[in-house]
Amino acid sequence: MNTAQKDIAALIGSRICHDLISPLGAIGNGVELLGMAGTVDGPEMELINESVMNANARIRYFRIGFGAARDGQMIGRDEISSVLRDVGKGARVRVDWDSDESLPRAQVKLAFLLIQCFETALPYGGTIIVKQFEDSWTLQCQSETLKIDASIWEYLISANVNKDISPAEVHFALVPDAAKSARRSLRTELQANAITLTF
C-alpha cells in the first residue's frame, strides 16, 4: 500500500471535520443570538447550547486524532489544552496533559488515539495522565474497575490481529499506522488495575 492510500482514511477524517465545524459554529452563533435577544430561554435552549458545544469539542478532537498529520506539522499546547478541556466538560474521564509548548502533530495524533483506547477501558470514568518527556511519551490510567479486552489491545502493536472490531473500537486499529507515521515504537503494559503506554 502506497503512502497516498495509507493516508486516505486520515484525509477523509480531516475533510469530514472541516466540513462539519462551520455549520456547527453557525448553529452555536444562532443559539447565542437567540439568547441575547431573549426570544427563547429555558432548559430547552440550555440543552441545545450544551449539545452544540459538545459536538464542536468532539469534532475538534477528532480532527486531531483522525485527521491528517503532515511531516513537520506542529500543534501548540494551548490548542491541545483547549480541546481536552472542552471535550472533558461533563465527561467521566479526565485527561491530565503535561507537555512542551509546541509538539509534532503526528505525535499528538497518536496520543489522542491512545486516549480513546484508555476511555474504552474506563467505563466508569477515571483520570488519564499524559506526560511528554524530551524523547518519549508516557500515558497511564489506573482504576479498580478497568475493563480490558486483551485481544483488542493487540491492535496497538500489530495491524494483523484476527479480530473483528466495532466502529466504537476503530481507534485501536488506527494506532499502528499512526505510530509508524510518528516514527515511534509503542510499548504496552496491561495490569489488572493499571495500563501504561509508552512511545
Side-chain angles (χ1 to χ4, degrees), residues 30-32 34-35 39-50:
V31 170
E32 186 177 350
L34 287 171
T39 55
V40 182
D41 201 3
E44 298 86 359
M45 179 60 69
E46 186 176 339
L47 178 61
I48 294 170
N49 191 45
E50 287 179 0

Side-chain angles (χ1 to χ4, degrees), residues 149-161 172 176 188 190:
D149 177 354
S151 62
I152 196 69
W153 284 83
E154 286 293 318
Y155 268 104
L156 299 187
I157 54 177
S158 173
N160 301 313
V161 179
F172 283 93
T188 66
L190 306 181

Side-chain angles (χ1 to χ4, degrees), residues 140-169:
Q140 187 176 59
C141 72
Q142 294 181 335
S143 175
E144 294 298 323
T145 54
L146 277 181
K147 179 183 176 184
I148 300 177
D149 177 354
S151 62
I152 196 69
W153 284 83
E154 286 293 318
Y155 268 104
L156 299 187
I157 54 177
S158 173
N160 301 313
V161 179
N162 186 23
K163 176 181 171 61
D164 291 332
I165 61 169
S166 70
E169 300 166 331

Side-chain angles (χ1 to χ4, degrees), residues 54-107:
N54 183 261
N56 259 311
R58 298 303 291 181
I59 288 292
R60 290 167 63 210
Y61 186 100
F62 293 153
R63 194 173 192 176
I64 296 172
F66 293 97
R70 303 294 187 193
D71 280 346
Q73 193 174 11
M74 305 295 284
I75 185 169
R77 187 177 63 193
D78 287 347
E79 180 179 351
I80 295 165
S81 298
S82 172
V83 170
L84 292 175
R85 181 184 62 249
D86 291 348
V87 84
K89 288 178 180 175
R92 291 186 300 240
V93 176
R94 186 174 71 87
V95 178
D96 183 356
W97 183 283
D98 182 11
S99 75
D100 291 340
E101 293 285 346
S102 183
L103 300 160
R105 192 180 183 97
Q107 293 181 23

